[in-house]
Amino acid sequence: MRVWVARPEPGAARTGAALAARGHIPLVAPVLVVRSTDAPPPDGPFDGLLLTSANAVPALRDVAALRGLPVFAVGARTAALAIEAGLGPVREGPGEAAGLAALVAQVLPAGSRLLHATGTARKPEPAASLAAAGFSVALFVAYAADALPALPNSAQDALAAGALDAVLHYSRRSAAVALALADGSNHGGAFRRLRHYCLSADVAFPLEAAGVPVHFVSARPRETDLLDALASYRGDGAR
C-alpha cells in the first residue's frame, strides 16, 4: 500500500521505516512540528511523574530534580524513551490516559503530588480522574505541537495524483489538522477517499465527526495493531 504518515517527527520516520519493512510505500509528511517550550518545571517535591506523550521526554532528560521519581508512562514507546533518558523507575500504562490514572492509583496513595509533563494542547485525562481520587497534579507544559500552515507539498502532490491508498492517524490533533489542511488545499475529496487507519476511537473522532469514513480503529493503542490492519487491504475494496 501507498501510505501517508502524517504524525510528527521523530515518530514519523520510525513509522515510515516500519511500513517499508512490511513492503509498503510510505510517504512521511508530518502536519505537526514538535518543539520544546524551554520552560522550567514547577518546583517540587513530587511523588511521581506522569508522561502521556513521548514528546515530553526530551525536556526532562537533564532535570536533576526529577531523577529517581517514579514515572508513569502512558504506553510502551513513552516508557522506553523514559528509560533511555535515565528517568524512573518506569511503570508502563495500557496506552490510554484513563488506564494510566488507574495505574497511579494502584501504586501511590491518595494525596500524592504528581507532575504531569504535557503539551500545550492537552486533554482533561488523566489529571481529572487523579484529582477526583485525591491526588494533586501540577502541570509542566514541556512542548508544543504546532500545525503547519499548509499541507506539505509531497502530500498535496500525492493526493492530486491519486498516489495514496491510506493514511495512518496517531492522535486526534494530527488527524484534525490533516483533514483541515487537505480541505484548505482543495484536496479534501481525495483525502476522504483514502482508507483511514486510527490508533484509537479518540483519534478517529474528528474524522468521523466530519463524515470521513474510517476504515480501521485499533481496539488497543498499539502501532503493531495499526500496521497489521494494513495487511487485509487487497486494493479492490475487500478487507
Side-chain angles (χ1 to χ4, degrees):
M1 294 182 71
R2 301 165 298 177
V3 185
W4 177 16
V5 181
R7 69 184 306 196
E9 295 290 9
R14 188 182 70 251
T15 298
L19 285 167
R22 290 170 175 247
H24 301 293
I25 303 171
L27 171 65
V28 177
V31 298
L32 299 174
V33 177
V34 175
R35 60 173 178 83
S36 173
T37 61
D38 295 324
D43 293 333
F46 298 103
D47 301 302
L49 177 62
L50 296 174
L51 295 178
T52 48
S53 171
N55 292 326
V57 173
L60 307 172
R61 188 182 300 271
D62 299 320
V63 182
L66 302 179
R67 295 283 168 174
L69 277 183
V71 173
F72 298 88
V74 67
R77 178 62 182 170
T78 304
L81 288 179
I83 292 169
E84 182 183 307
L87 301 172
V90 177
R91 289 179 171 84
E92 180 184 326
E96 43 84 24
L100 183 63
L103 174 62
V104 172
Q106 292 171 8
V107 176
L108 296 179
S112 297
R113 189 174 186 224
L114 302 165
L115 178 64
H116 181 192
T118 183
T120 52
R122 59 185 175 274
K123 301 169 190 172
E125 294 294 349
S129 292
L130 289 168
F135 292 87
S136 173
V137 181
L139 293 177
F140 170 34
V141 181
Y143 69 94
D146 298 327
L148 294 184
L151 201 65
N153 289 337
S154 58
Q156 289 197 49
D157 292 345
L159 288 171
L164 290 170
D165 300 307
V167 54
L168 301 183
H169 300 289
Y170 282 75
S171 74
R172 179 193 283 222
R173 179 127 190 274
S174 64
V177 169
L179 172 60
L181 293 181
D183 283 345
S185 65
N186 296 318
H187 295 300
F191 178 83
R192 285 166 170 79
R193 288 191 292 273
L194 298 178
R195 297 175 68 87
H196 294 267
Y197 292 77
C198 297
L199 194 63
S200 70
D202 180 67
V203 173
F205 177 81
L207 300 174
E208 294 177 330
V212 178
V214 173
H215 294 81
F216 176 80
V217 177
S218 181
R220 55 178 188 168
R222 296 286 190 272
E223 182 177 57
T224 52
D225 292 2
L226 202 60
L227 300 182
D228 287 347
L230 296 173
S232 64
Y233 177 72
R234 297 180 178 85
D236 58 358
R239 293 187 66 190

